[in-house]
Amino acid sequence: FPDHDPLDCNVVDEVSDVRTRQMLWSRRFPKDHPGLLVEPEENRALIRWQVSDEGVRDELKNYPPIEERLATFKETKGVYFLEMLDASTGRVLGAQLVDTGGRGSISMLGDRAIVSHQGYAEIYSFATGLKEGEIFGWLRAHCNTANLVSVRGENQNELAVYDLNTREKL
């Protein structure tokens, strides 16, 4: 692929159990190497593709509704295609498009993707494929089992705790 960075072509990611050193699964990326985030506490992995990458076009063929939704975007800078995986098997659990605006960071919490921007966080559901809402403030921490997040507001000495299911301040 002469138009690709040679270090990003034909990359194979392997996920292993650190205790046994046994390989759990692997995945080959022939054109572009996306980001991989593993959350062992949740047994989840997140593959993050910039939609401008050549390799994502092949991947999106497996997700016609997401491919159709991407076609409606006027601007794709900062738009990512996400695949949430079972970290122990590599099986895809869900897929999603998120728009970071080119300035946000992406994390995951349960079956949600959280895009943190300066001053607010957007919550996307892998279950529905839709944006659920926003929480204003700077995301600081989250509790996976209780679906809670804490954010720092304008007053830097205070944290607010929100329920992710309702996005209500607790």
Side-chain angles (χ1 to χ4, degrees):
F1 302 102
D3 57 336
H4 298 281
D5 183 341
L7 295 177
D8 281 343
C9 294
N10 290 315
V11 173
V12 176
D13 280 347
E14 294 180 349
V15 175
S16 300
D17 184 319
V18 295
R19 294 167 296 198
T20 65
R21 296 187 182 194
Q22 179 181 8
M23 187 174 75
L24 300 173
W25 56 273
S26 66
R27 186 152 167 192
R28 182 177 168 268
F29 300 99
K31 294 182 181 176
D32 295 299
H33 186 232
L36 176 67
L37 169 68
V38 178
E39 293 284 350
E41 298 84 21
E42 295 187 47
N43 192 35
R44 299 279 190 263
L46 185 71
I47 294 179
R48 184 183 71 185
W49 306 76
Q50 289 185 18
V51 296
S52 59
D53 289 346
E54 180 73 25
V56 78
R57 292 186 193 135
D58 295 334
E59 194 65 25
L60 283 171
K61 291 176 185 174
N62 298 319
Y63 303 96
I66 293 175
E67 193 173 29
E68 289 172 19
R69 197 168 133 230
L70 178 61
T72 67
F73 281 66
K74 292 179 181 175
E75 176 64 47
T76 58
K77 181 180 180 188
V79 177
Y80 287 84
F81 171 63
L82 308 177
E83 288 179 300
M84 183 174 62
L85 313 174
D86 179 307
S88 57
T89 65
R91 182 174 59 90
V92 176
L93 301 173
Q96 176 67 267
L97 279 179
V98 298
D99 186 356
T100 67
R103 302 171 308 278
S105 64
I106 301 169
S107 58
M108 74 182 147
L109 178 61
D111 70 343
R112 293 179 173 101
I114 310 292
V115 178
S116 299
H117 299 278
Q118 189 172 21
Y120 68 101
E122 295 176 307
I123 302 144
Y124 293 84
S125 169
F126 279 101
T128 65
L130 301 173
K131 179 179 168 182
E132 292 183 335
E134 298 175 344
I135 295 176
F136 292 93
W138 284 262
L139 190 65
R140 288 292 169 234
H142 61 274
C143 176
N144 302 342
T145 56
N147 277 317
L148 301 175
V149 294
S150 66
V151 297
R152 179 178 54 82
E154 301 253 341
N155 180 346
Q156 296 190 17
N157 296 322
E158 295 179 4
L159 287 176
V161 177
Y162 285 84
D163 180 323
L164 268 182
N165 293 323
T166 63
R167 285 162 310 287
E168 290 183 23
K169 187 176 181 180
L170 301 175

